[in-house]
Amino acid sequence: MALYAKATRGPQLLLVLSAIGLLAAGAPQSPNIVLLLMDDMGWGDLGVNGEPSRETPNLDRMAIEGMLFPNFYSANPLCSPSRAALLTGRLPIRNGFYTSNAHARNAYTPQEIMGGIPDSELLLPELLKKAGYTNKIVGKWHLGHRPQFHPLKHGFDEWFGSPNCHFGPYDNKVKPNIPVYRDWEMVGRFYEEFPINLKTGEANLTQIYLQEALEFIRTQHARQSPFFLYWAIDATHAPVYASRPFLGTSHRGRYGDAVREIDDSVGKILSLLQNLGISKNTFVFFTSDNGAALISAPKEGGSNGPFLCGKQTTFEGGMREPAIAWWPGHIAAGQGIDFCPGQNVSGVTTHSQEEHTKLPLIFHLGRDPGERFPFSFASDEYQDALSRITPVVQQHQMSLVPGQPQLNVCNQAVMNWAPPGCEKLGKCLTPPESVPEKCSWSH
């Protein structure tokens, strides 16, 4: 298996799982794969990365026993494009998870979006399925909610979770509540069959997602089948939630409660792998889709540690993610890192669209991890760095074949009014008239 983290600026695919490596000659058995993808969790949320409350003992132990990636980057600072890149191995501009509306490029998949993951894209679970794997997604898909984008049409064998984030509650008249699926059909909706108390933050979703993961692992172990588990839960995305036993237990408020429950769940998943005797044949990778959402802080947003800004920006806080690889007997113990805090930078962080294409802001992350001190445009150091960066950018631009943008058109009629299975539950809703229109993005 090939796995690497690339510590360079710009959108890069950061996790490479090579099917050829998995089936390498002489390998006694294909390893199981568990990909734990968090939602809006920041680099600084882990104790091993310096979070002072130290409320992630299981993740910290996972880092000590495995390898911590202090310079791991997502392909995009927003959820849908990042997830599309992770599962396809292709940049959002190539796989279509971008918009060409106005000046924007950054966009995601709310339930009125018409686009989603194209059939032309080859996803990791499709490759693994050809290699004999059984694949399950638990949690948020976010690569399109219309029938043609269903995860079971893109390599997964099982699904328990939602096509969109857990926003709401809605009145089911102007906008429907988000459905929760088991495989092909919905089994309820958020705020209805799957309640989330916005006042208290109580929801049992993480526990439900945990049990789905544990049962899948047990079942596949009994079948002696190699498996891929994609555990993509969203408890740390605002509105943040946790189950009753964890509410009020963190020094960090409700967001910390959610992190503590996630940490406890990861510990239970790793313990099960060890108890079943399959930990040495299971590769586990933990990361986040993008940086912490500072717009939700401090009550419902995480920490990006010393790094500048967060979700929706391409500064370090938006792109650099917590990341841990764990595979006993195969991955040696890794390393940790501790940086001094950075601060906001006048002239660097702005609230308007700034053009930096011809004269990009360049930082030395080794001595300036908080991106506080960009090189002076007139300095020799800037000119030297620019002379090395420019040919790489030009080569990328020359070879780039953009995918058809999937995030341009919105339509109220394509929301989750009548998902498959709604008839059995009496949960079908009447959609409004179809009126496609250009999506408006503020990113």
Side-chain angles (χ1 to χ4, degrees), residues 242-322:
S243 64
R244 184 174 298 177
F246 290 90
L247 285 174
T249 64
S250 171
H251 293 289
R252 304 179 63 197
R254 189 179 298 176
Y255 181 88
D257 296 341
V259 172
R260 289 201 65 199
E261 185 167 17
I262 288 170
D263 178 79
D264 182 77
S265 298
V266 171
K268 287 181 168 63
I269 291 172
L270 299 184
S271 293
L272 178 61
L273 295 173
Q274 292 170 323
N275 293 338
L276 293 176
I278 57 174
S279 60
K280 292 186 177 180
N281 195 47
T282 304
F283 170 76
V284 183
F285 197 86
F286 174 95
T287 190
S288 179
D289 57 353
N290 47 249
L294 300 188
I295 193 172
S296 302
K299 293 184 178 180
E300 296 197 281
S303 167
N304 295 313
F307 303 120
L308 188 62
C309 294
K311 179 180 180 178
Q312 301 183 18
T313 79
T314 53
F315 291 109
E316 292 293 291
M319 304 287 289
R320 194 187 292 214
E321 315 307 339

Side-chain angles (χ1 to χ4, degrees), residues 340-380:
C340 294
Q343 299 176 0
N344 288 344
V345 185
S346 177
V348 174
T349 55
T350 66
H351 297 283
S352 60
Q353 295 289 329
E354 301 290 341
E355 174 61 59
H356 291 298
T357 304
K358 295 182 178 179
L359 286 176
L361 297 176
I362 301 177
F363 303 84
H364 191 300
L365 295 179
R367 59 178 187 253
D368 180 24
E371 294 175 291
R372 298 170 60 197
F373 307 107
F375 292 162
S376 167
F377 294 146
S379 68
D380 291 340

